[in-house]
Amino acid sequence: MLKSFKPVLLGSVLFAASALCAADSDLERVMKERNLSEKDVLAAAKTYQPTGRKDDYMVFSSGGQSGQVIVYGVPSMRIYKYIGVFTPEPWQGYGFDEESKAVLRSGSINGKEINWGDTHHPNFSEKNGEYVGDYLFINDKANPRIAVINLSDFETTQIVVNPVIKSDHGGSFVTPNTEYVIETSQYAAPFDNDWHPIEEYQAVYRGAVTLWKFDYDKGKIDVNKSFSLELPPYMQDLSDAGKGESFGWAFTNSFNSEMYTGGIEKGLPPMEAGMSRNDTDYLHVYNWQILEKLAQDSKNYKVVNGHRIVTIDAAVKAGALFLIPEAKSPHGVDVSPDGRYIIIGGKLDTHASVYDFKKIKELIDKKEYAGKDPYGIPILDMQKTLHGQAELGLGPLHNTFDSQDGVIYTSLYVDSQIVKWNYKTLKVLDRINVHYNIGHLDSMEGKSSKPVGKYVIALDKLSIDRFNPIGPLHPQNHQLIDITGPKMEMLYDLPIGLGEPHDVVSIAASKLHTKPTYTMGTNSRTGKQHPAMTLAGQERIERDGKNVKVYATAIRSHINPEHIEVNKDDNVTIYMTNLERAEDETHGFTVDDYDLHMSLEPGKTASVNFIADKEGVFPFYCTEFCSALHLEMFGYLYVKDPNKKYTSAKASMLKALSPEALKAEYDKVVATNKATDDVIQSVVKFLKEKNYEKYPKVKALVDDALDQYGKIPETKAKADAAVKAGDMNGAILWEGQVWQYLVKTADVGLRAKNNLIRELSTPMSEAASNGEKAYLRGGCNGCHVIGQVSSGPDLTGVLLRHENGEKWVADFIKDPAKFYEDDYVKAMINYFNLRMPNQHMKDEEIKDIIEYLKWVDENAGLN
Ligand code: RUQ
Ligand code: CUA
């Protein structure tokens, strides 16, 4: 439908208006009915993805109080996944299978299980300050922790607990080559785990920045090589790592230079008043390269809870720590893509301050200080380090950058706006209203050293009236804004109903290299082969006293074993391997009433462990709708009390079929199997002739198909043995199983064939590909199967069957009824007992379909 709108997108507004006046415009009618302006439709056209079209950018959003990470695409704003991080996530089995529990539980704090998190700032791994789509880091503000997510499968693989700080906010920021992941404390607290009264605030309470060492090859934070820097109790806030000119340095602001400690219950002014008293707070400037060296020598650090903390004194002495006054109650701190400027917003100021690292460095080199704070840290003069300030509006919070030099976007929390301005010239360029009360914002790859720009996402804390009401707890609003022109244009509102998604980072989709399936037997949380990997034929149940280990497999459409018998209070572990190799053939597994679940993507091995403390019969089943016989993919866990006598019911007698009826049924199954096998043989012949092994995707499918097929001989032998033994019931069941294998083989085999045809065929022109879509949209495939006569004629060669074929076919599609009396068409109608209906195709669509049919003919030899 939007196709007819193309002139509007390409042409001038004038032309657009005249195009819209065209009488037969469906678009015009829909616009009227839905009360859409031209601007609305343009926004829709910029974000709409037709089925099958992929997004250009992938966005990773913190899930706020959900403790998860939300993944969505730009420009469509379609949500793809919620990644379980600090919170159990049942779909992925996260926190319900043993392998993921090992990760989730490594986030326990002093032995206490923590089952939620307040995720705040996600960040990608970087090389030279540019995003690399290998890892994502995210912090938990509530229970100071950092998690590592492996972007090859979007699974959380590590959680580290901060041993010395009690809350964090300024995490997780990454140094330009992912040397360190930075985590900064928020609320100052004692480093140790003892009691210290508030009177000891200045003496004992401390802030800190923790530098978590990242081992890139292992994809893991190396806890032993990580250390912290002690900071005064100024309530450190956000951070950013220097890059380019400021490489080696990092910046953290703070909001309580007053060191006020509150006491509203004692009649003292509340925290918010006491902490906003001074005109300025402190930006912390520190050098992690120097700190790294200091952390090698025990005279520079103290050890608390087994963790090294470089002291303020040592850092000051080594010239690694400085303070610069900043406008009161600052918030975001963002380093410009080239590393030269540091831009800071102030929640209670209307200005953003731009600091010049060159000037900072000069003062440091000259040792020119304006004074010292009570902890002996040198203070640099604010005016001498400032490049300048820009008046932006009320409540500037966060920044993101554009590909254009100097262009920056800043969120205004109080004004509910985004301001586009230039941090070099300090000129405001544009502003746009957002809905409402924006916190973070992010342009595409906007915080890397090479921002792409293109879109900005506004993360609005309040949505108020934007969406259908869903009760007093409203969703957040992520708004997509086009920033390619001089004026920002609002495109899309995405309600997010999962926590307060706090911050996002975005990356070009092409930079993500995800794996489609796992190498057989992989423990996805370690990336290594699972010791309990079980291949077909290795299924077994092992008992050792009260310990029962089940080595199971899952493949369409059965779990092996199907019966598991244990005694009450046995300690049961079920290891399961998904034997599939084809993409998207996931099985899930649960045992009813036992609070267990695992997700088994193709090739994965995972396990569940439980004490069988409830007696009875418990179905277990596959939880993903994996195949037509998914409902049959189940079994029973029998939990029996060995000390109890059970009286069993008499087996009921079912009426038996007569021997003749049984024989007839058996013959029928055997004949069906023969026919199905013929289809398979023709597909196999095709695949072999075309050297399918050369195409990995096709090969994976064929391997899966042959796996299924390979099970037939032994099954068939069982059927034959049953016939010999006169057990016709058994023979029918085994032949039925043969049929199951045949059908699965045929199903996967045909998918492989279609895939291979696509691989081998000549590339489709855009028109042909549009034609194929129109063909499918029009439902032509309901009657016509390419390469085969079905309820309608095969369309291969249709253009050659008629004189002036292209025109004939086009006219026929346009108005079939005109041809019903034509001799040829009459004969067809008689043969198929069907008339070609009028599908009301547009001329453009018919043209494209002809192109598609040409492509079919070109590749006719492939069918
Ligand atoms: S900080 S909304 Cu929690 Cu990222 Cu400013
Ligand atoms: Cu496997 Cu459903």
Side-chain angles (χ1 to χ4, degrees):
M1 239 174 277
L2 279 170
K3 192 173 294 153
S4 61
F5 193 60
K6 235 182 197 156
V8 182
L9 303 184
L10 302 173
S12 67
V13 176
L14 253 179
F15 179 57
S18 65
L20 284 175
C21 286
D24 87 312
S25 165
D26 277 350
L27 179 65
E28 192 187 29
R29 180 177 53 77
V30 172
M31 284 172 69
K32 216 178 266 162
E33 277 171 13
R34 299 203 58 224
N35 190 20
L36 298 174
S37 69
E38 209 172 279
K39 222 175 141 190
D40 296 334
V41 178
L42 186 55
K46 284 180 180 177
T47 53
Y48 174 72
Q49 296 288 40
T51 180
R53 183 87 55 91
K54 313 277 195 304
D55 278 308
D56 301 331
Y57 298 91
M58 295 297 275
V59 177
F60 293 75
S61 171
S62 51
Q65 301 91 329
S66 75
Q68 302 179 353
V69 163
I70 305 162
V71 185
Y72 59 83
V74 161
S76 75
M77 303 297 271
R78 296 177 295 193
I79 292 183
Y80 287 81
K81 201 176 243 180
Y82 299 114
I83 306 173
V85 184
F86 297 111
T87 309
E89 200 295 310
W91 173 45
Q92 293 148 53
Y94 188 65
F96 297 90
D97 69 43
E98 291 306 304
E99 291 67 23
S100 63
K101 253 195 240 169
V103 176
L104 185 65
R105 293 295 167 246
S106 66
S108 293
I109 298 183
N110 297 326
K112 182 161 180 61
E113 273 184 20
I114 311 272
N115 281 315
W116 84 292
D118 189 7
T119 53
H120 266 235
H121 303 109
N123 269 299
F124 295 112
S125 44
E126 296 183 7
K127 287 243 160 77
N128 294 322
E130 287 177 52
Y131 291 159
V132 185
D134 290 333
Y135 305 103
L136 185 85
F137 307 95
I138 184 124
N139 69 315
D140 170 11
K141 172 172 171 172
N143 322 284
R145 300 179 291 177
I146 301 281
V148 182
I149 294 164
N150 190 325
L151 293 180
S152 74
D153 60 358
F154 288 38
E155 284 203 351
T156 304
T157 51
Q158 188 184 23
I159 295 177
V160 291
V161 177
N162 196 299
V164 293
I165 65 179
K166 305 293 189 281
S167 69
D168 84 21
H169 192 202
S172 42
F173 298 92
V174 173
T175 55
N177 299 299
T178 328
E179 296 93 341
Y180 288 97
V181 180
I182 298 175
E183 181 188 22
T184 319
S185 63
Q186 173 112 79
Y187 304 120
F191 285 147
D192 61 28
N193 296 324
D194 292 340
W195 173 82
H196 296 275
I198 196 70
E199 290 71 32
E200 290 178 10
Y201 187 81
Q202 300 193 7
V204 178
Y205 285 49
R206 286 290 177 272
V209 50
T210 300
L211 292 147
W212 292 103
K213 181 77 195 155
F214 190 65
D215 184 330
Y216 206 95
D217 295 331
K218 290 201 182 119
K220 289 255 152 83
I221 285 173
D222 187 336
V223 174
N224 293 325
K225 288 193 180 150
S226 306
F227 63 95
S228 295
L229 164 65
E230 175 190 19
L231 294 175
Y234 293 155
M235 304 298 185
Q236 283 71 26
D237 199 35
L238 298 190
S239 310
D240 201 3
K243 50 192 147 190
E245 267 181 64
S246 53
F247 180 84
W249 294 83
F251 310 91
T252 300
N253 46 31
S254 60
F255 59 77
N256 187 19
S257 58
E258 299 85 353
M259 293 195 274
Y260 186 66
T261 54
I264 198 169
E265 73 291 341
K266 296 182 205 113
L268 293 167
M271 302 266 198
E272 56 177 333
M275 293 186 181
S276 314
R277 193 165 136 194
N278 291 357
D279 279 341
T280 54
D281 282 301
Y282 288 126
L283 172 69
H284 300 59
V285 179
Y286 47 95
N287 186 306
W288 55 263
Q289 285 185 310
I290 302 178
L291 294 172
E292 187 177 52
K293 288 200 194 93
L294 295 179
Q296 303 307 321
D297 186 343
S298 62
K299 68 175 189 291
N300 301 318
Y301 61 78
K302 51 190 171 192
V303 176
V304 181
N305 298 332
H307 178 81
R308 288 170 297 162
I309 305 172
V310 175
T311 61
I312 294 178
D313 288 350
V316 167
K317 235 178 252 154
L321 176 61
F322 303 90
L323 299 172
I324 307 177
E326 50 186 359
K328 76 163 115 183
S329 304
H331 197 44
V333 46
D334 294 286
V335 177
S336 64
D338 61 3
R340 166 100 184 246
Y341 299 97
I342 301 134
I343 297 101
I344 297 175
K347 290 174 298 200
L348 299 180
D349 195 3
T350 53
H351 293 90
S353 303
V354 183
Y355 291 86
D356 184 345
F357 184 73
K358 218 175 197 165
K359 295 182 178 178
I360 295 175
K361 191 73 195 343
E362 272 168 25
L363 293 183
I364 290 174
D365 289 345
K366 283 195 288 190
K367 298 202 162 83
E368 187 184 324
Y369 309 138
K372 278 191 175 171
D373 85 331
Y375 295 87
I377 308 172
I379 301 171
L380 307 182
D381 184 88
M382 181 174 177
Q383 292 312 321
K384 286 187 183 157
T385 50
L386 270 179
H387 166 68
Q389 289 181 306
E391 169 122 32
L392 301 181
L394 288 179
L397 291 190
H398 292 285
N399 309 296
T400 189
F401 298 92
D402 201 343
S403 57
Q404 293 172 64
D405 186 40
V407 174
I408 185 171
Y409 301 82
T410 299
S411 58
L412 298 182
Y413 177 80
V414 180
D415 276 343
S416 291
Q417 281 187 340
I418 290 177
V419 192
K420 174 183 178 180
W421 56 291
N422 187 309
Y423 57 83
K424 293 188 174 170
T425 63
L426 305 172
K427 290 240 157 60
V428 170
L429 304 170
D430 186 27
R431 48 180 85 233
I432 189 171
N433 292 327
V434 294
H435 315 88
Y436 303 90
N437 297 85
I438 177 173
H440 280 270
L441 73 175
D442 185 43
S443 70
M444 298 304 100
E445 304 198 350
K447 286 157 203 155
S448 72
S449 60
K450 282 231 178 75
V452 175
K454 279 197 174 162
Y455 306 94
V456 154
I457 298 168
L459 280 72
D460 306 320
K461 309 275 182 200
L462 308 188
S463 61
I464 309 181
D465 56 0
R466 290 295 100 173
F467 305 113
N468 293 44
I470 53 166
L473 182 60
H474 291 239
Q476 307 279 310
N477 188 9
H478 285 201
Q479 293 187 297
L480 185 72
I481 297 163
D482 182 350
I483 56 168
T484 50
K487 304 277 311 160
M488 292 179 271
E489 300 280 357
M490 184 62 70
L491 296 180
Y492 195 93
D493 280 22
L494 168 68
I496 292 202
L498 194 82
E500 185 209 299
H502 196 90
D503 185 17
V504 299
V505 278
S506 50
I507 190 167
S510 59
K511 287 190 179 172
L512 293 170
H513 309 286
T514 54
K515 48 177 112 179
T517 59
Y518 291 108
T519 308
M520 194 53 68
T522 302
N523 173 345
S524 63
R525 303 289 165 175
T526 62
K528 303 202 177 97
Q529 191 183 80
H530 200 297
M533 165 172 86
T534 310
L535 299 178
Q538 299 175 338
E539 299 90 350
R540 64 201 184 273
I541 300 178
E542 289 177 359
R543 282 164 215 284
D544 176 13
K546 285 190 108 30
N547 295 317
V548 181
K549 294 192 163 155
V550 182
Y551 295 85
T553 59
I555 190 162
R556 273 161 291 168
S557 311
H558 53 258
I559 293 165
N560 188 351
E562 290 181 336
H563 298 145
I564 301 173
E565 292 174 30
V566 303
N567 286 327
K568 188 165 179 287
D569 296 329
D570 277 356
N571 182 348
V572 184
T573 309
I574 302 174
Y575 301 100
M576 191 168 286
T577 301
N578 179 351
L579 297 175
E580 313 271 358
R581 271 168 291 206
E583 262 182 68
D584 205 6
E585 277 304 338
T586 297
H587 302 289
F589 179 81
T590 186
V591 181
D592 292 355
D593 297 358
Y594 268 98
D595 197 29
L596 310 164
H597 186 240
M598 51 184 160
S599 170
L600 297 149
E601 300 84 55
K604 195 191 223 181
T605 299
S607 62
V608 289
N609 171 268
F610 58 100
I611 303 292
D613 51 5
K614 274 176 302 190
E615 178 187 352
V617 177
F618 304 92
F620 56 76
Y621 71 98
C622 167
T623 62
E624 285 272 343
F625 206 108
C626 53
S627 60
L629 292 175
H630 149 79
L631 294 178
E632 284 80 350
M633 194 167 177
F634 83 108
Y636 289 107
L637 169 75
Y638 296 93
V639 183
K640 192 174 167 187
D641 185 340
N643 303 314
K644 218 160 133 185
K645 272 229 160 94
Y646 296 90
T647 45
S648 57
K650 247 190 223 143
S652 70
M653 296 291 288
L654 291 176
K655 221 171 82 198
L657 286 175
S658 72
E660 294 75 28
L662 279 173
K663 175 75 172 63
E665 194 184 335
Y666 172 78
D667 289 345
K668 203 171 117 197
V669 187
V670 171
T672 311
N673 285 353
K674 168 83 181 61
T676 314
D677 197 30
D678 289 347
V679 173
I680 293 172
Q681 292 317 321
S682 75
V683 173
V684 169
K685 184 162 166 278
F686 174 88
L687 290 166
K688 282 197 177 149
E689 278 170 9
K690 307 281 194 250
N691 298 319
Y692 74 91
E693 298 98 334
K694 285 202 252 160
Y695 308 91
K697 260 196 170 178
V698 179
K699 184 165 181 311
L701 286 166
V702 175
D703 285 347
D704 266 8
L706 293 180
D707 267 2
Q708 297 278 353
Y709 198 73
K711 297 197 188 103
I712 292 174
E714 51 173 313
T715 315
K716 178 83 186 149
K718 285 178 188 159
D720 294 347
V723 173
K724 242 191 206 156
D727 172 14
M728 283 316 268
N729 252 321
I732 290 166
L733 288 176
W734 284 120
E735 284 292 346
Q737 183 57 42
V738 168
W739 186 71
Q740 291 295 341
Y741 288 131
L742 286 167
V743 167
K744 283 169 214 155
T745 308
D747 168 36
V748 184
L750 286 169
R751 269 167 65 194
K753 183 180 171 187
N754 282 334
N755 253 303
L756 187 55
I757 288 175
R758 290 281 151 164
E759 296 270 11
L760 297 172
S761 54
T762 52
M764 267 194 199
S765 66
E766 200 188 326
S769 137
N770 285 338
E772 184 184 27
K773 279 181 210 135
Y775 176 87
L776 295 173
R777 217 171 26 235
C780 311
N781 58 333
C783 294
H784 302 281
V785 177
I786 302 288
Q788 213 174 303
V789 177
S790 61
S791 349
D794 179 6
L795 294 183
T796 317
V798 67
L799 299 175
L800 310 168
R801 285 206 280 270
H802 303 273
E803 206 176 303
N804 208 347
E806 290 182 28
K807 182 170 178 333
W808 190 92
V809 173
D811 292 348
F812 186 53
I813 298 175
K814 180 104 188 151
D815 189 359
K818 257 201 220 154
F819 293 73
Y820 288 164
E821 293 306 314
D822 174 299
D823 282 345
Y824 176 83
V825 175
K826 228 180 181 173
M828 287 285 157
I829 292 173
N830 280 335
Y831 180 84
F832 289 102
N833 200 15
L834 258 183
R835 291 165 177 211
M836 161 92 167
N838 189 336
Q839 298 297 80
H840 302 284
M841 293 282 182
K842 301 239 168 60
D843 289 344
E844 182 79 15
E845 287 175 316
I846 295 174
K847 237 167 85 194
D848 290 341
I849 289 176
I850 301 286
E851 288 307 309
Y852 168 60
L853 291 172
K854 279 197 212 158
W855 177 84
V856 167
D857 282 351
E858 232 172 81
N859 295 286
L862 289 175
N863 282 308

